[in-house]
Amino acid sequence: MSKSRIAAVDVGNDSIKAIFGELEHELNIPNIIARDIEDRPVIGIEELNSKDPLEGIHIRVHSPALKDNNVIYRVGHLATKSGSASELDPGSSKSEEDQTLIMLFATLALDAVREENSSTFPRQKNIIDANYTLGTGLPLREVKEGKDAGYRSKLTGSVHQVEFLVTPRYQGLKVNIKFNEVKIYPEGFAAYINLVMDNDLKVINKDLIDKRILIQDIGGLSTDIAVIRNRTVDDDKAQGFNLGVSESLEAIREEIRSKHGVELDSRRDVVDIITRKNNRNHIMVKGSRTSVHDITDRILLDLAKKQYRLLRNVWLKNSQTEICYFVGGGSNVLKDYMKTLNNNLDGYNIEFFEDEKESIWMMANAYYKLITDFVRKTEKQKVPQEPVKK
């Protein structure tokens, strides 16, 4: 029986963020897959093992939880180079998409095959048996609809296998993934935990602990607004909306293609153009740096207005709210537009995270705090108590 390793995984629309073990390993992989053939052609196959595995994730995934089983995929950076790359569509449910599971299994397998885990997971020839205690989350809307139970049962009821095909360093290895325990948290509640507590779940933000606050989590496919009162999420007041940044990013990508003849590989490329420190909102056209400010400003300002309307409507129904925190990758994209709108309009008390990494990794950090606390409490219960001496 292998030991169970802690994994906190945020399956975000833009990318997967994962934290493992005792905070000693983390992964960030673009959430993009593409179907592929077993013997994908590689230039310089002799040098394959000198390359970064994350740049060439090529796998076969076998799991009874998948609708399309035993299929070969390119994943992450490698998938962006495929003409048939697939990103999650607006309106889809994270808990019901094969892509969510494929990305989750691939991420866990990439952790399991590391040499550092050879003493944790048994290996027989080319097969590794990996056991994880997983903390992850779903949008508030899906949790309120009860989809978390079905998602959990898909994960816990089976063995899931990832076979590395033409992947640097890991070619030919197979990872059997089992879950010792799976905890699924509503994303809004997780953000709150991360705001007010440290890794030992001790309160670090006493000013916030008893405030009435909103947390607006803008993702790729959806937006959750959690209403926090009395240190818990008010399930009746919390709301989820089918409005994320993906459609707007796709619109920007399409307009850049039609206006400038430049084909961007994925939405992630659009995010990079919008958020990078240098030459923001510029692309290269035939070797010349060209501004796309007119495209990005018009489309993103329109989305920011819709997001601001959601904030206003929820705040009206929760008039004693003291502050709203914006979190998630979508908030990072819309931050400047939302601030401008707020300054020109109602002037709500809103807060963004200036540290880009803190905002993007917030969910994964929260899941890590929650799952490690769960493991601590479980292990404490297993320790036999000494009998009380008379």
Side-chain angles (χ1 to χ4, degrees), residues 129-171:
D129 289 318
N131 194 308
Y132 284 95
T133 298
L134 174 68
T136 188
L138 287 174
L140 209 56
R141 173 179 55 85
E142 293 186 49
V143 175
K144 285 181 82 169
E145 291 168 1
K147 291 179 178 176
D148 53 327
Y151 184 54
R152 183 180 180 279
S153 68
K154 281 182 189 176
L155 296 175
T156 54
S158 311
V159 176
H160 318 279
Q161 187 182 81
V162 174
E163 178 185 357
F164 289 99
L165 301 173
V166 191
T167 302
R169 300 216 295 269
Y170 304 142
Q171 187 169 11

Side-chain angles (χ1 to χ4, degrees), residues 27 39 48 68 70 88 113 123 126 134 163 172 174 179 183 201 213 236 259 273 287 355 360 378 382:
L27 284 170
D39 298 319
L48 182 69
D68 292 326
N70 223 25
L88 289 173
V113 294
R123 180 181 299 204
N126 66 328
L134 174 68
E163 178 185 357
K174 296 178 182 178
F179 293 100
K183 302 294 280 183
L201 290 198
I213 64 177
D236 295 325
K259 185 173 180 180
I273 289 164
D355 183 335
I360 290 170
T378 305
K382 287 179 183 174

Side-chain angles (χ1 to χ4, degrees), residues 11 25 28 45 58 64 67 76 88 108 114 124 128 201 234 237 245 250 263 265 271 285 299 302 352 355 372-373 375:
V11 185
H25 185 222
N28 189 346
I45 188 73
H58 183 238
K67 299 185 193 92
L88 289 173
L108 295 174
R114 293 171 72 234
Q124 289 189 330
I128 299 158
L201 290 198
D234 187 327
K237 301 269 190 176
V245 295
E250 206 59 62
E263 189 74 63
D265 286 336
V271 172
V285 180
I299 293 173
D302 183 56
F352 288 83
D355 183 335
T372 49
D373 183 62
V375 169

